[in-house]
């Protein structure tokens, strides 16, 4: 707990470690009342260290020190200093062994960092700085050591004992205890250490690598989850094959293990050879998991597996370089998902997240570059900017170099830095060296925060047949950064003629074989491009595939957007045009009189989407999703959330009323026939089915209510069951809603992942998620303040998705969130800090809301003993 103001850590203060660790020998004695950790480090002075006589300083957190010995001799009390967060040994030889014994209490560890207990099993989470909660150690990623780990525990309570690498020894001990020893041959930073002990069932499979080595694949789950492993195991095998085929990367150990735990702060963790997953991100069955969950699991399993190269074999020098492994690995997992399904749909999903949430972060008080220059608490920097914008930055390198040179670059990066802890700059350098391209200006993407805005204007010179496009870039100020330099932006575009035909893009008159799509490179503040041989004014299709994480401003007419929506050869831009049109229509209705007309051409366009089965149904399913409230807020200034909510609902109801018969036909056409499968076609079909249903339930249609009730009770899969539940819950009929919620809970109360869905559906709903109903959910027997998933599914979903209720003009939503953040701050500061996010966006809202949001932030600020995690977020938000 904090006693004084937290320190800021600066990248510019980076120094190489004073001591290196060659090997770590760990012995864990696990008991119900605590755990004793014996650690023997073989240390030597770093020849590259700047300060030769520096004392040995090891990090520690919440440890009880039992003994310290140097080369086998216990140290006298004056030979070392136990500073609580540091163990300092004043004078040490150039090379020595240090043995430290600590006592910890995993059963009381509610922060879920270090070693803790989750449903009766021991497990660990060490990234970023959790290893220091286990034993004293130089807890920084540039100290890489070979680990040997012996785990001792009761055989009956903990038959399965796991750590990184290979099991090299096992046996019986007195008192019904047993041990297993694990050895990891690859040096690694301590954040990749993992330990699991529990009564788990094992699921086995195997994988033959490209060089013919046989790998043992093992999943460990609680017995009740034994039948929910197949999808993750299949995803793992697909990931392993894909990384061989696309990156030439083979798995390096003989065993690869996955463990599922119920209490986990994050989604999953890439510990070497022993990935640990939040149960909700790995367990799935037809009956309990939605299509979204199936897709998420495949992506997360891939993400953690891909870290074996991008993160583990080549790791980060310091935590400022976090995006080195996270941005690259998110890029890799999105390429993988794209290859496994529809590239356009995957791109739409990624861009939706980026534009809604990352752009908001980039415009808020916590804005930071992909490679930050300072932080207080590193856990707060596992952000959308590090992950998603970081992935976009890698993607832009891929776009600029093309796939072949990019692969040459990644080969060089892995070869050059295998076994090292490096920087984002080393990554860019490898890409430069392999391709011969100069990425000097491009590096600004890592250093400058904020979302660049491209302002585009055009004119057509009919006499010369020249279409001119001007592009100006501007990067807004962010906390601590102003007057930014122009960045190197790949800007993909095409031009469409009057019949929708793609025009050749001649950058000079008479150019032969000009392509119909180009990636222009913006490097200056302003660029003018001339396209020759154009007969009539074209419609520009800008920033195709979302070729850079920027905002584009161009004065599109609704005519042009409708044209692009049906004609653009780039599926992504067809979707984008539809979104821009819907945004324009909805925002123009905010605060408008009840009887204001709603753009009739929007109805026509949607009618066409719903009724034409020849269109790509996966894309249609995406195009039918109206822009979210969160995105509409992101595009607004002085947002009045209830008014935005109402405008959006009005458009939805109007569409549903106008297209009632088409929606009914769409519903019938997409009813399932045959067995449940999770293919892109089937997913699109279920998505259309459930979208049609939810729209129809917004207009109090008797027939639709009956269809929903039937789908709810007869569905053979969770996507359709939950789709029906959501539609019923969001309808105006209390009876239907309560009956469905009760039946659903009755059936699935013993499945925590499904109960989390049940909480979320209610917390996100205006009808079921009023503040008094939220309080009732918090008192529900299935709710558990110690379980992060439960907290997120009620408190997080309410504040992040039930926006009209959260932004109640009386401020009750904000007050509620402040209260829950304060309650969680002592037990789990990482989760508490994440929950604050919605309040940090106060600048986006109309003045009356802002004042109430700041009052809630101040209330959190004034809580005694505030954690460093929440302190940083709250103080930066209030300083803005
Ligand atoms: C896919 O990055 C994309 C992102 C850190 C924990 C997993 O592997 C990770 C861990 C956080 C936020 C998002 C993700 C992860 C973490 C994640 C997971 C799957 N190294 Br915090
Ligand atoms: Zn990751």
């Amino acid at each position: 707990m904090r006693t004084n103001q937290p320190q800021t850590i600066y990248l510019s203060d980076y120094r190489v470690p004073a001591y290196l660790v060659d090997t770590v020998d760990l012995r864990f004695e696990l008991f119900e009342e605590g755990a004793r950790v014996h650690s023997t480090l073989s240390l030597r002075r770093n020849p590259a260290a700047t300060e030769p006589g520096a004392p040995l300083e090891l990090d520690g957190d919440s440890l009880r020190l039992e003994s310290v010995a140097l080369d086998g001799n216990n140290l006298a009390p004056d030979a070392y200093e136990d500073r609580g967060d540091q163990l300092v040994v004043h004078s040490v030889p150039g090379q020595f062994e240090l043995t430290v014994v600590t006592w910890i209490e995993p059963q009381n560890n509610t922060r879920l960092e270090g070693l803790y207990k989750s449903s009766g099993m021991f497990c660990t989470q060490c990234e970023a700085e959790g290893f220091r909660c286990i034993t004293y150690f130089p807890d920084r990623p540039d100290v890489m050591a070979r680990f040997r780990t012996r785990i001792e525990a009761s055989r009956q309570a903990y038959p399965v004992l796991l750590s990184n690498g290979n099991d090299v020894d096992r046996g019986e001990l007195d008192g019904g205890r047993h041990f297993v020893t694990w050895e990891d041959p690859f040096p690694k930073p301590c954040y990749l250490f993992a330990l699991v002990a529990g009564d788990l069932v094992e699921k086995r499979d195997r994988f033959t690598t490209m060089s013919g080595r046989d790998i043992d694949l093992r999943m460990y789950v609680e017995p009740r989850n034994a039948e929910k492993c197949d999808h993750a195991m299949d995803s793992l095998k697909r990931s392993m094959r894909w990384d061989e085929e696309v990156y030439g990367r083979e798995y390096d150990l003989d065993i690869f293990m996955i463990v599922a735990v119920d209490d986990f702060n994050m989604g999953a963790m890439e510990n070497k050879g022993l990935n640990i997953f939040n149960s909700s991100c790995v367990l799935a069955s037809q009956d309990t998991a939605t299509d979204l969950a199936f897709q998420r699991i495949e992506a997360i399993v891939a993400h953690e597996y891909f870290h074996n190269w991008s993160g583990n074999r080549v790791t980060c020098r310091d935590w400022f370089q976090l995006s080195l492994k996270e941005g690259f690995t998110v890029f890799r997992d999105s390429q993988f998902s794209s290859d496994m399904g529809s590239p356009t749909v995957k791109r739409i999903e990624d861009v939706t997240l980026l534009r809604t949430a990352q752009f908001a972060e980039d415009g808020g008080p916590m804005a930071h570059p992909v490679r930050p220059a300072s932080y207080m608490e590193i856990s707060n920097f596992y952000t959308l900017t590090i992950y998603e914008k970081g992935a976009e930055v890698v993607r832009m390198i891929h776009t600029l170099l093309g796939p072949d040179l990019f692969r040459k670059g990644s080969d060089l990066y892995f070869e050059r830095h295998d076994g090292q802890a490096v920087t984002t700059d080393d990554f860019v350098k490898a890409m430069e060296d392999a391709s011969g391209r100069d990425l000097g200006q491009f590096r600004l993407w890592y250093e400058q925060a904020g979302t660049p805005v491209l302002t585009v204007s055009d004119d057509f010179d009919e006499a010369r047949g020249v279409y001119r496009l001007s592009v100006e870039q501007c990067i807004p100020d962010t906390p601590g950064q102003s007057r930014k330099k122009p960045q190197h932006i790949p800007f993909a575009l095409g031009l469409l003629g009057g019949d929708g035909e793609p025009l050749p893009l001649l950058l000079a008159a008479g150019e032969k074989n000009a392509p119909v799509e180009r990636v222009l490179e913006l490097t200056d503040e302003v660029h003018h491009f001339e396209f020759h041989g154009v007969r009539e004014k074209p419609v520009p299709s800008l920033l195709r595939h979302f070729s850079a994480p920027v905002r584009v401003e161009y004065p599109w007419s609704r005519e042009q957007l409708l044209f692009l929506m049906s004609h653009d050869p780039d599926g992504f831009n067809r979707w984008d045009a539809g979104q821009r049109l819907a945004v324009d229509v909805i925002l123009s209705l905010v605060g408008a009189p009840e009887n204001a007309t709603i753009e009739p051409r929007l109805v026509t366009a949607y009618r066409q989407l719903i009724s034409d089965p020849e269109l790509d149904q996966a894309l249609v399913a995406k195009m039918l999703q109206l822009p979210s409230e969160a995105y509409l807020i992101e595009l607004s200034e002085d947002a009045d959330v209830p008014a935005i909510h109402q405008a959006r609902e009005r458009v939805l109801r109007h569409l549903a009323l106008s297209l009632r018969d088409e929606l009914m036909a769409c519903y019938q056409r997409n009813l399932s026939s045959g067995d449940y499968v999770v293919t892109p076609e089937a997913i699109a079909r279920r998505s259309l089915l459930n979208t049609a249903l939810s729209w129809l339930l917004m207009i109090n249609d008797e027939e639709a209510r009956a269809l929903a009730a039937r789908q709810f009770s007869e569905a053979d899969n969770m996507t359709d069951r939950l789709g029906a539940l959501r539609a019923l819950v969001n309808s105006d009929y209390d009876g239907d809603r309560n009956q469905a919620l009760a039946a659903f809970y009755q059936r699935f109360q013993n499945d925590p992942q499904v109960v989390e869905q049940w909480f979320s559906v209610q917390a996100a709903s205006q009808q079921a998620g009023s503040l008094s109903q939220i309080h009732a959910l918090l008192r529900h027997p299935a709710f558990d303040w110690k379980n992060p998933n439960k907290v997120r599914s009620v408190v997080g979903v309410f504040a992040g998705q039930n926006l009209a209720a959260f932004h109640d003009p009386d401020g009750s939503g904000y007050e509620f969130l402040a209260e829950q953040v304060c309650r969680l701050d002592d037990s789990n500061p990482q989760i508490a800090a994440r929950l604050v996010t919605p309040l940090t966006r106060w600048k986006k809202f109309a003045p009356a809301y802002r004042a109430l949001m700041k009052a809630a932030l101040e209330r959190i600020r004034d809580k005694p003993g505030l954690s460093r995690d929440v302190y940083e977020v709250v103080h930066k938000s209030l300083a803005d």
Side-chain angles (χ1 to χ4, degrees):
M1 195 158 302
R2 190 181 64 84
T3 44
N4 41 33
Q5 188 182 320
Q7 297 295 302
T8 298
I9 322 278
Y10 296 93
L11 168 59
S12 55
D13 288 343
Y14 175 82
R15 301 288 178 275
V16 298
Y19 294 87
L20 302 176
V21 184
D22 291 313
T23 61
V24 184
D25 217 307
L26 297 169
R27 182 158 79 92
F28 287 83
E29 298 180 83
L30 304 179
F31 306 102
E32 295 313 304
E33 61 283 359
R36 182 166 291 112
V37 185
H38 306 254
S39 160
T40 300
L41 313 178
S42 58
L43 290 141
R44 71 192 148 85
R45 197 167 289 148
N46 184 358
T50 38
E51 230 186 302
L56 175 70
E57 296 177 343
L58 303 177
D59 303 297
D61 186 348
S62 318
L63 302 172
R64 197 167 91 201
L65 180 63
E66 291 195 340
S67 66
V68 194
L70 203 152
D71 288 331
N73 304 312
N74 271 334
L75 285 183
D78 63 351
Y80 66 93
E81 198 182 331
D82 180 0
R83 291 190 190 151
D85 65 344
Q86 258 189 347
L87 174 66
V88 183
V89 186
H90 297 299
S91 79
V92 293
Q95 184 157 8
F96 57 102
E97 264 194 359
L98 191 81
T99 303
V100 179
V101 181
T102 49
W103 176 259
I104 53 181
E105 294 184 352
Q107 73 281 5
N108 298 325
N109 179 350
T110 58
R111 288 163 53 188
L112 315 187
E113 298 171 66
L115 180 64
Y116 64 93
K117 288 194 86 173
S118 173
S119 19
M121 65 165 135
F122 288 91
C123 63
T124 53
Q125 173 53 40
C126 293
E127 188 179 3
E129 297 179 334
F131 193 73
R132 63 184 65 186
C133 305
I134 295 174
T135 184
Y136 285 102
F137 197 80
D139 191 357
R140 44 188 288 169
D142 56 354
V143 172
M144 299 169 81
R146 271 177 294 122
F147 282 67
R148 190 184 162 92
T149 305
R150 175 175 152 124
I151 311 167
E152 303 176 4
S154 150
R155 172 180 278 287
Q156 214 215 326
Y158 308 100
V160 173
L161 304 175
L162 310 174
S163 191
N164 318 83
N166 303 306
D167 46 333
V168 293
D169 193 15
R170 61 178 63 225
E172 301 301 318
L173 300 167
D174 289 345
R177 294 172 66 79
H178 71 143
F179 76 92
V180 180
T181 304
W182 291 83
E183 211 171 67
D184 183 354
F186 294 96
K188 64 168 178 287
C190 65
Y191 83 86
L192 291 172
F193 170 82
L195 176 156
V196 169
D199 186 0
L200 304 169
V201 295
E202 182 185 69
K203 291 273 158 179
R204 278 190 183 239
D205 209 324
R206 51 203 301 106
F207 178 84
T208 306
T209 68
M210 59 185 182
S211 73
R213 291 170 43 245
D214 268 326
I215 314 293
D216 252 329
L217 309 180
R218 305 180 189 165
M219 275 185 78
Y220 294 91
V221 298
E222 289 174 53
R224 64 186 167 82
N225 293 322
E227 304 313 311
K228 291 178 157 195
C229 297
D230 291 352
H231 178 62
M233 190 64 97
D234 291 343
S235 303
L236 174 62
K237 289 184 281 182
R238 285 195 290 274
S239 309
M240 295 178 87
R241 188 61 73 213
W242 186 90
D243 212 16
E244 293 184 344
E245 287 170 356
V246 179
Y247 281 85
R249 297 291 122 198
E250 185 175 332
Y251 185 62
D252 50 9
L253 287 163
D254 299 327
I255 313 173
F256 187 85
M257 296 176 281
I258 286 179
V259 181
V261 306
D262 282 350
D263 305 285
F264 207 62
N265 279 349
M266 21 184 77
M269 181 61 208
E270 70 265 23
N271 317 300
K272 185 77 186 188
L274 178 54
N275 290 0
I276 298 182
F277 281 68
N278 186 321
S279 295
S280 71
C281 296
V282 66
L283 302 174
S285 69
Q286 170 177 346
D287 216 33
T288 60
T290 60
D291 291 342
L292 192 71
F294 273 92
Q295 289 174 299
R296 234 163 60 98
I297 289 165
E298 182 182 58
I300 299 184
V301 167
H303 178 96
E304 305 310 332
Y305 174 72
F306 296 156
H307 267 316
N308 193 55
W309 276 97
S310 49
N312 301 4
R313 290 289 290 252
V314 181
T315 195
C316 302
R317 187 192 73 172
D318 54 72
W319 292 120
F320 297 100
Q321 319 299 326
L322 182 57
S323 196
L324 173 79
K325 73 178 179 82
E326 297 304 348
F328 188 23
T329 304
V330 171
F331 172 69
R332 277 151 54 69
D333 81 55
S334 73
Q335 280 184 303
F336 167 77
S337 297
S338 179
D339 285 354
M340 296 298 124
S342 152
T344 304
V345 166
K346 175 61 180 162
R347 192 67 189 135
I348 289 169
E349 288 165 353
D350 289 351
V351 170
T352 302
L353 175 66
L354 192 84
R355 281 205 300 218
T356 307
Q358 196 279 325
F359 281 16
E361 184 171 276
D362 237 350
M366 290 289 287
H368 54 277
V370 169
R371 193 201 59 202
S374 70
Y375 61 77
M376 285 180 178
E377 170 52 59
I378 185 57
S379 310
N380 288 332
F381 282 76
Y382 285 70
T383 61
L384 291 152
T385 300
I386 302 295
Y387 278 77
E388 310 302 325
K389 187 175 181 178
E392 292 295 321
V393 170
V394 175
R395 189 173 189 278
M396 287 189 285
I397 297 178
H398 185 272
T399 302
L400 291 169
L401 269 53
D404 295 342
L405 288 178
F406 183 87
R407 168 65 194 271
K408 259 184 84 185
S410 75
D411 283 352
L412 179 61
Y413 168 72
F414 288 127
E415 187 202 351
R416 190 183 269 178
H417 298 298
D418 190 10
Q420 297 178 0
V422 303
T423 63
T424 55
D425 206 51
D426 293 316
F427 179 81
V428 177
K429 188 79 170 65
M431 289 292 165
E432 279 183 321
D433 291 350
S435 67
R437 287 217 48 168
D438 177 359
L439 296 173
Q441 185 187 7
F442 186 85
R443 282 178 170 79
L444 290 170
W445 279 106
Y446 289 93
E447 294 158 24
Q448 297 190 152
T451 307
V453 179
L454 300 185
T455 307
V456 180
S457 58
D458 58 355
D459 66 78
F460 179 54
D461 183 339
E462 194 161 7
R464 287 177 59 217
V466 170
Y467 176 69
R468 281 166 48 95
L469 207 60
S470 304
V471 188
E472 182 179 351
Q473 65 164 297
C474 175
I475 307 170
D477 290 352
T478 47
Q481 281 190 341
S482 50
R483 280 179 287 110
K484 296 177 199 190
K485 300 187 189 119
Q487 290 177 186
H488 183 174
I489 301 174
F491 186 61
L493 87 172
L495 298 177
L496 302 191
D499 298 324
E501 75 285 7
L503 304 180
L505 306 177
L506 288 71
L507 287 172
E511 187 184 339
K512 293 278 173 306
N513 301 321
V516 294
E517 180 173 307
R518 285 186 184 271
V519 180
L520 304 175
E521 296 190 19
L522 312 177
T523 50
D524 299 335
E525 218 166 286
V526 185
H527 283 265
H528 302 284
F529 300 99
E530 289 196 346
F531 299 94
H532 296 260
V534 184
R535 274 191 219 105
E536 56 183 327
K537 185 170 183 186
V539 177
S541 167
L542 304 173
L543 199 73
R544 282 211 173 139
H545 336 288
F546 205 71
S547 60
V550 300
R551 297 177 202 268
V552 175
E553 288 183 359
Y554 172 82
W556 278 285
S557 65
R558 289 187 181 175
E559 202 73 57
Q560 285 177 313
L561 291 173
L562 286 156
F563 178 81
L564 289 169
M565 228 178 132
S566 50
H567 290 102
D568 200 315
D570 178 31
F572 175 83
N573 266 14
R574 269 209 305 284
W575 168 82
D576 193 36
Q579 292 291 296
R580 284 180 196 275
L581 179 66
V583 165
D584 187 29
V585 171
I586 296 169
L587 289 184
S588 69
L589 289 171
V590 173
E594 285 282 321
N595 59 357
T597 51
I598 300 178
E599 174 62 74
R601 289 172 297 178
L602 187 71
V603 178
T604 320
Y606 276 64
R607 174 174 289 121
Q608 202 163 1
L609 286 172
I610 296 170
S611 313
D612 185 354
E614 296 302 305
L615 298 173
D616 171 359
Q617 295 298 290
L619 183 57
V620 170
K622 287 290 168 201
M623 292 186 78
L624 289 180
Q625 308 295 317
L626 285 192
S628 67
E629 288 172 12
Y631 186 51
L632 293 165
I633 292 168
E634 216 289 305
L635 294 175
S636 307
E637 271 164 44
D638 295 334
D640 176 349
V641 180
I644 290 176
H645 173 80
Q646 268 171 26
R648 186 177 180 278
E649 296 267 299
R650 261 200 74 196
V651 172
L652 253 180
R653 284 214 166 81
H654 178 72
L655 286 168
L657 274 173
S658 317
L659 300 170
R660 194 259 174 205
D661 293 346
E662 288 86 348
L663 287 165
M664 207 49 105
C666 172
Y667 183 85
Q668 298 295 348
R669 191 170 70 238
N670 286 295
L671 272 171
S672 97
S673 50
D675 285 345
Y676 174 82
V677 284
V678 189
T679 57
E681 297 74 33
I683 292 170
R685 194 177 50 62
R686 284 188 285 272
S687 169
L688 284 170
L689 178 88
N690 287 300
T691 301
L693 189 68
S694 71
W695 286 23
L696 286 166
L697 265 95
M698 298 204 56
I699 54 169
N700 304 343
D701 189 288
E702 275 304 317
E703 197 184 335
R705 280 175 68 200
L707 289 175
R710 193 161 109 202
Q711 177 176 321
F712 178 69
S713 55
E714 291 177 9
D716 70 350
N717 66 84
M718 188 49 91
T719 305
D720 289 342
R721 190 179 298 112
L722 201 69
L725 178 69
R726 188 172 287 123
L728 289 167
V729 164
N730 290 321
S731 78
D732 289 334
Y733 293 91
D734 297 1
D736 292 5
R737 169 166 57 251
N738 294 331
Q739 207 182 350
L741 282 169
F744 190 94
Y745 184 73
Q746 183 65 28
R747 174 161 176 190
F748 292 105
Q749 56 185 309
N750 294 320
D751 188 314
Q753 285 79 56
V754 182
V755 171
E756 284 153 22
Q757 294 286 312
W758 182 78
F759 277 132
S760 298
V761 166
Q762 296 172 77
S765 151
Q766 250 220 319
Q767 281 77 0
S770 69
L771 208 44
S772 64
Q773 291 165 309
I774 296 293
H775 278 293
L777 292 179
L778 296 180
R779 286 190 304 268
H780 192 279
F783 188 81
D784 176 4
W785 281 105
K786 292 211 172 70
N787 179 261
N789 291 6
K790 299 294 183 300
V791 173
R792 279 186 282 253
S793 66
V794 178
V795 184
V797 168
F798 170 74
Q801 291 176 44
N802 194 351
L803 298 180
F806 176 62
H807 293 278
D808 190 310
D810 68 6
S812 56
Y814 309 148
E815 237 173 87
F816 167 79
L817 186 61
E819 187 185 328
Q820 310 321 325
V821 168
C822 291
R823 175 205 295 262
L824 275 161
D825 185 56
D826 295 323
S827 59
N828 191 330
Q830 285 189 4
I831 298 298
R834 296 223 165 227
L835 283 181
V836 180
T837 308
L839 288 172
T840 66
R841 311 274 194 259
W842 58 268
K843 262 196 180 165
K844 267 277 159 213
F845 301 91
Y849 296 90
R850 287 186 195 177
L852 292 164
M853 293 176 91
K854 286 172 84 169
L857 284 167
E858 281 159 4
R859 188 168 151 199
I860 301 172
R861 179 195 63 196
D862 296 340
K863 174 198 170 256
L866 200 61
S867 69
R868 186 160 49 154
D869 308 58
V870 175
Y871 179 100
E872 176 173 33
V873 178
V874 168
H875 279 257
K876 287 185 175 173
S877 301
L878 286 169
D880 194 21

